[in-house]
Amino acid sequence: MASQLAQKLLGAPAEAELAKDSPEWALHMPAQEVDAKDVQTPDSWIPRNPVLRRLTGDHPLNCEPPMQDLLSAGFITPVSLQPVCNHGAVPKLDWSTHRINVSGLVDKPLVLSMDDITKLPSVTLPVSVTSAGNRGKEMNLVKTTTGASWGTSATACSYWTGVRLCDLLRMAGVKSPQQGAKFVCFAAPKGERAEGEDGSYGTSISVVHAVDPANDVIVAYKQNGRWLTPDHGFPVRMIIPGSPSGRMIKWLSEITVTTLESQNFYHFHNNRALPSHVDEKLAKLEGWLSRPEYLVNELNINSVISRPGHDEFVSLKKNTGYQLKGFASSGGGRQVIRVETSVDEGQTWQQSTIHRFENPTVHGKSWCWVFWSIEVETVQLMACDEVIVRAWDNSQNCQTADISWNMMGVMNNCYYRVKVHKMLLESGEIGLRFQHPAPNEVGQFRSLGWREEDMIVQRGLAEAELHIPKIAVFPAEPPRMTKRSRTESSSSLNTALPPHPSDSVLSLATLNSIPSHSDKVSKAIQAPLIALNPRKKIPFTLVEKENLSRDARRLRFALQSPKHVLGLPVGKHMFFYANVNGEPVMRAYTPSCAKVGYFELVIKVYFANEHPRFPEGGKMSQHFESMQIGDTIDVKGPLGHFEYTGPGQYLKNRKPFSAKKIVMIAGGTGITPCYQVAQHILSDPEDDTEISLLYANKCEEDILLREDLDEWSRKHKNFSVHYTLDSPPENWQYSKGFISKQMVADNCLPFSEDGIVCMCGPGPMIELACKPNLEKCGWKKDQFIVF
């Protein structure tokens, strides 16, 4: 058990066992067993709280608690519930043999054992420890950073016990700045980390800061009254109040007084807030990481809304009081003096009540977070689109209104905004659903954060740049308001937008730059009307509905006018939004056809009570099934990380690549993006890219678009198709069963350095069947593209 780990396994002096009914228990809530995620890692000896949200895989541990658990625990956070940021395996240090070396520009170098440290005069202080990367996920959703996607819970508050650093330095006879003593460097054990010359994690602070007792820097060995746990630095660590947690070295081994700042790898590669134009490449090229002015020495003012929680539902049966809650903090010992909320987009602000749990120190410093609350009425929330919070400290620092991106994803302190959505439950109850910007927890309605949705839209816009066909003169077939049960000929349904390789695509800027010296040219190159808008949802009307089989449908949606074109680049998809029984549902689809004035989807309806694992069936597909002619559905796009620009050219995450061969593997309705790309290639006589398609389904009637696929196989020498079914009919000439290595080897193009593999289908099929068997056939992971 975690509460006894320090003494039983690591040799620390004995402590009384924690009793669950004791007041101390709530300060620790010790984990009882090793988490299953750690069993196969070097940390398999450390019990951990299973509620912690892991952000970077199972190992090393980088985690934060759910927001509601963190705040409900109160001012002092239980140790097992606190965030952890590890850069590697936790070192298994022994109390009796561990030493701290105090050296450098001192008169009397010290080598201190843990028993030596604990015999020195000690202090106990409440201090909040917060990562500079807190709220970093929001930055990652603007543009990828080098930091982890921390949510709002990379913070916690504890009572820390230890020796003042200024006392230790005085014992060692630290020299003055005039004698060259400018910095105090800290380091963890050597050889424990993969990066850096000596494999240690280290950083430094100024001597002036270190020797000032007002700054309360301590060498700590207890947390909430008990020995440190391994994840939090056993047996000893630094606590530097008001600074980011990344500066507070765990497993402390060395204290060195120097003239230069720490030269440790991690000192330069962590906790630096660089200007927004500096990316990783420029930082290395121009030496930004070594510029001391960008080092984060103190945290900034910040605040967060915890209530309402993400995806929380508040009923509107009657107008009642509702209490907004959250926390706020600042760095450098500055006190939070003001927390304000707004429900009218920042036009007016209301002061919240601040709940303080500490008194300023004798030097006037405040090292801990505060909680805040304010009572509003539900009718106020009903009338607003978002709830905003901002805070101020006693240096009159305030949060910024907008997010400011930086390469490491640190110091994000823009206003915290929670979106408010009106919602109708299946029961008929009307209420409000709240949406946080970038939660790391799944809400009850399984909604994304609003910044996540914005990221999808923004990247779609950046990637697509509103691709426009070169000549916008197409025969427009006016949509008919009918419902059909027959199958229309493939020739009239399967002509998508004309090919748009790089020599046949004009951006708006290009079109606008063409001189209008000829009326004939001007008329021929008129910019068409684009239907899609990646920044907002557009409603499209269902105008035709065709039953292809028992559960397959072809749906035609009219665009805004008969002159509009969809504007979807090849390889991209669109998000469809619907409200299903009061629950917002969002799914990605790729149209099978897009012409002037309309687009079409081929979908499979997953009915309720047909699959034991999914008794509710597919919510969006059943919604499509229930739609009547004249109904509308909201759509955003273009979206996606892949775009085929042809011939043989494509973009992956906006970077250009080329391919002469494309292996396609699709399952069920995953055929549509593969179909879209193949159709584009085969309709361009100049594109000789080779394609092989392996298409998996349950039974023969599930095969979508088969008529077209078979026809392409007959007509085009650079296209082949092979089917596999779980339950094939008699005399079936293709494969049976799950995708296997032999199936891939026999029916897909062989491995080629100039090839790629495009896949779309159920997750288990992709991860357990496609990827492993493709790798066995020689294909490499960086050649995989999953739609």
Side-chain angles (χ1 to χ4, degrees):
M1 185 167 115
S3 65
Q4 297 290 298
L5 191 64
Q7 61 195 58
K8 290 186 176 180
L9 185 62
L10 305 176
E15 290 179 309
E17 180 113 23
L18 276 177
K20 286 189 176 181
D21 57 354
S22 70
E24 271 194 300
W25 181 271
L27 298 177
H28 296 270
M29 293 173 56
Q32 302 301 302
E33 56 188 27
V34 174
D35 194 304
K37 298 183 181 70
D38 293 316
V39 170
Q40 300 299 320
T41 77
D43 293 344
S44 59
W45 56 284
I46 305 172
R48 285 167 174 160
N49 193 329
V51 307
L52 295 170
R53 307 289 185 188
R54 302 192 182 212
L55 308 180
T56 55
D58 291 349
H59 184 80
L61 182 64
N62 289 280
C63 64
E64 63 181 335
M67 169 59 71
Q68 299 308 317
D69 291 30
L70 176 68
L71 271 293
S72 63
F75 171 60
I76 297 298
T77 313
V79 173
S80 73
L81 200 60
Q82 300 201 11
V84 176
C85 179
N86 290 342
H87 291 263
V90 175
K92 190 181 289 187
L93 303 179
D94 185 84
W95 179 281
S96 63
T97 60
H98 186 69
R99 298 292 183 269
I100 300 175
N101 293 286
V102 183
S103 61
L105 296 174
V106 296
D107 294 329
K108 296 175 290 183
L110 304 174
V111 179
L112 300 171
S113 69
M114 288 308 303
D115 288 338
D116 294 333
I117 289 285
T118 56
K119 289 174 183 176
L120 295 174
S122 65
V123 294
T124 298
L125 302 169
V127 178
S128 290
V129 174
T130 303
S131 170
N134 201 33
R135 300 182 61 189
K137 183 177 180 179
E138 295 175 54
M139 280 198 190
N140 271 321
L141 293 172
V142 173
K143 181 182 174 182
T144 302
T145 74
T146 60
S149 286
W150 294 100
T152 55
S153 302
T155 184
C157 190
S158 296
Y159 289 112
W160 300 95
T161 300
V163 180
R164 290 186 183 275
L165 177 62
C166 60
D167 294 341
L168 275 184
L169 293 175
R170 192 177 301 111
M171 283 177 56
V174 62
K175 296 184 182 298
S176 69
Q178 292 75 21
Q179 295 172 301
K182 301 292 181 66
F183 295 93
V184 182
C185 302
F186 313 108
K190 295 177 181 178
E192 295 287 347
R193 300 293 168 259
E195 304 285 355
E197 290 185 6
D198 62 6
S200 69
Y201 187 100
T203 188
S204 60
I205 61 175
S206 72
V207 162
V208 172
H209 190 95
V211 300
D212 187 348
N215 292 321
D216 289 325
V217 181
I218 63 174
V219 177
Y221 47 81
K222 282 190 175 183
Q223 184 178 13
N224 291 349
R226 298 180 72 85
W227 305 128
L228 296 175
T229 59
D231 274 327
H232 294 285
F234 179 90
V236 62
R237 65 171 296 167
M238 294 305 305
I239 293 296
I240 310 172
S243 295
S245 61
R247 311 294 301 285
M248 305 185 196
I249 301 301
K250 298 189 288 188
W251 315 297
L252 180 68
S253 296
E254 296 183 10
I255 300 174
T256 311
V257 182
T258 61
T259 300
L260 297 176
E261 66 178 318
S262 172
Q263 299 300 295
N264 190 278
F265 173 89
Y266 293 97
H267 178 72
F268 293 105
H269 289 80
N270 278 347
N271 299 302
R272 290 181 185 261
L274 302 178
S276 58
H277 75 280
V278 179
D279 58 15
E280 194 170 7
K281 181 178 179 181
L282 190 64
K284 294 177 181 177
L285 183 67
E286 298 183 353
W288 286 89
L289 296 178
S290 61
R291 302 186 187 185
E293 62 267 34
Y294 298 109
L295 182 65
V296 179
N297 289 302
E298 295 179 350
L299 294 165
N300 51 10
I301 182 71
N302 217 333
S303 64
V304 165
I305 296 171
S306 63
R307 186 173 189 261
H310 177 64
D311 255 4
E312 181 176 333
F313 178 83
V314 174
S315 175
L316 291 176
K317 286 182 178 179
K318 61 180 180 179
N319 183 31
T320 60
Y322 183 88
Q323 193 173 59
L324 304 174
K325 293 181 178 181
F327 70 86
S329 62
S330 192
R334 295 178 291 275
Q335 186 180 69
V336 177
I337 61 168
R338 193 160 120 213
V339 179
E340 300 175 333
T341 58
S342 176
V343 293
D344 57 7
E345 299 181 344
Q347 296 182 48
T348 61
W349 296 86
Q350 305 297 318
Q351 288 217 29
S352 304
T353 300
I354 295 177
H355 307 277
R356 303 187 191 281
F357 304 92
E358 64 161 342
N359 294 317
T361 69
V362 294
H363 300 286
K365 305 280 189 176
S366 296
W367 301 127
C368 300
W369 61 0
V370 299
F371 293 174
W372 62 265
S373 63
I374 186 172
E375 192 85 8
V376 297
E377 292 187 341
T378 50
V379 67
Q380 291 177 272
L381 298 175
M382 183 176 64
C384 75
D385 293 324
E386 65 178 2
V387 180
I388 313 174
V389 67
R390 68 182 182 186
W392 304 71
D393 65 27
N394 60 0
S395 291
Q396 303 309 316
N397 297 312
C398 179
Q399 293 171 249
T400 61
D402 300 310
I403 196 167
S404 179
W405 184 90
N406 62 73
M407 184 194 86
M408 292 190 183
V410 297
M411 302 293 274
N412 176 26
N413 75 331
C414 62
Y415 294 175
Y416 196 83
R417 303 169 186 266
V418 173
K419 304 293 184 182
V420 184
H421 305 282
K422 285 72 178 177
M423 187 174 185
L424 177 67
L425 295 181
E426 186 175 358
S427 63
E429 185 178 1
I430 299 173
L432 302 174
R433 179 179 65 86
F434 298 91
Q435 184 182 29
H436 282 237
N440 276 329
E441 309 143 41
V442 177
Q444 61 176 324
F445 300 112
R446 308 194 71 79
S447 302
L448 297 173
W450 63 262
R451 282 200 188 276
E452 291 171 283
E453 289 187 354
D454 279 1
M455 177 271 291
I456 293 170
V457 170
Q458 296 294 337
R459 290 185 180 175
L461 180 65
E463 292 165 9
E465 293 186 274
L466 298 183
H467 284 61
I468 298 172
K470 185 175 183 180
I471 304 296
V473 181
F474 309 109
E477 179 187 344
R480 297 163 298 189
M481 301 293 282
T482 61
K483 179 175 180 177
R484 301 174 296 162
S485 59
R486 62 182 181 84
T487 302
E488 192 170 356
S489 66
S490 61
S491 61
S492 65
L493 279 173
N494 296 305
T495 305
L497 286 173
H500 57 271
S502 57
D503 62 346
S504 64
V505 180
L506 299 180
S507 68
L508 285 175
T510 305
L511 287 169
N512 292 334
S513 69
I514 297 175
S516 57
H517 61 276
S518 164
D519 287 341
K520 186 175 182 180
V521 172
S522 297
K523 290 177 182 177
I525 317 180
Q526 291 176 359
L529 299 170
I530 301 297
L532 288 174
N533 185 337
R535 296 185 183 275
K536 66 178 182 179
K537 301 171 187 174
I538 303 295
F540 294 118
T541 303
L542 179 66
V543 294
E544 293 187 17
K545 193 171 184 179
E546 175 186 3
N547 296 332
L548 302 179
S549 69
R550 183 189 71 85
D551 55 3
R553 308 288 183 262
R554 193 193 303 270
L555 309 174
R556 177 178 288 189
F557 293 90
L559 304 181
Q560 293 92 325
S561 79
K563 295 183 179 180
H564 273 76
V565 296
L566 185 60
L568 184 71
V570 176
K572 300 289 186 182
H573 54 263
M574 309 180 292
F575 268 123
F576 288 71
Y577 298 80
N579 193 296
V580 180
N581 298 324
E583 177 183 349
V585 178
M586 178 177 69
R587 297 289 186 272
Y589 288 90
T590 302
S592 60
C593 166
K595 287 187 177 181
V596 178
Y598 67 90
F599 70 88
E600 293 183 345
L601 296 180
V602 172
I603 66 159
K604 185 176 177 65
V605 182
Y606 296 95
F607 293 104
N609 302 315
E610 288 197 351
H611 195 295
R613 289 180 57 199
F614 308 102
E616 295 182 355
K619 294 179 181 179
M620 183 62 84
S621 65
Q622 291 181 92
H623 177 76
F624 279 130
E625 177 72 354
S626 69
M627 289 182 69
Q628 301 298 309
I629 300 300
D631 289 348
T632 63
I633 192 163
D634 289 339
V635 180
K636 267 187 191 178
L639 304 161
H641 65 288
F642 173 83
E643 178 184 345
Y644 188 82
T645 55
Q649 306 297 312
Y650 67 94
L651 299 176
K652 183 178 179 182
N653 295 322
R654 289 180 281 178
K655 294 181 180 179
F657 297 92
S658 62
K660 293 182 179 179
K661 303 176 188 293
I662 301 179
V663 172
M664 295 182 175
I665 304 181
T669 54
I671 187 61
T672 52
C674 297
Y675 178 95
Q676 180 200 36
V677 175
Q679 182 187 53
H680 179 84
I681 292 171
L682 299 177
S683 64
D684 183 357
E686 296 183 1
D687 196 337
D688 59 359
T689 303
E690 290 185 65
I691 307 169
S692 66
L693 170 65
L694 176 57
Y695 187 15
N697 283 282
K698 291 183 179 179
C699 56
E700 190 170 16
E701 69 169 7
D702 289 337
I703 301 175
L704 302 177
L705 302 163
R706 183 177 183 181
E707 196 174 305
D708 298 334
L709 299 176
D710 289 343
E711 183 179 354
W712 291 348
S713 184
R714 290 191 298 269
K715 291 176 60 176
H716 298 278
K717 62 180 182 180
N718 59 330
F719 178 84
S720 66
V721 61
H722 186 83
Y723 305 102
T724 181
L725 301 176
D726 292 346
S727 302
E730 291 185 18
N731 302 318
W732 176 246
Q733 60 178 320
Y734 299 101
S735 296
K736 175 184 178 181
F738 296 123
I739 292 171
S740 63
K741 175 187 174 184
Q742 195 61 47
M743 200 183 296
V744 171
D746 292 344
N747 303 291
C748 296
L749 291 168
F751 164 74
S752 173
E753 290 288 354
D754 58 1
I756 57 174
V757 181
C758 296
M759 296 171 276
C760 190
M765 184 194 88
I766 299 296
E767 297 299 328
L768 303 179
C770 296
K771 290 182 178 180
N773 290 311
L774 284 162
E775 289 184 59
K776 291 175 184 176
C777 292
W779 291 94
K780 303 172 184 176
K781 290 180 180 179
D782 60 5
Q783 294 177 298
F784 297 165
I785 294 169
V786 179
F787 290 113

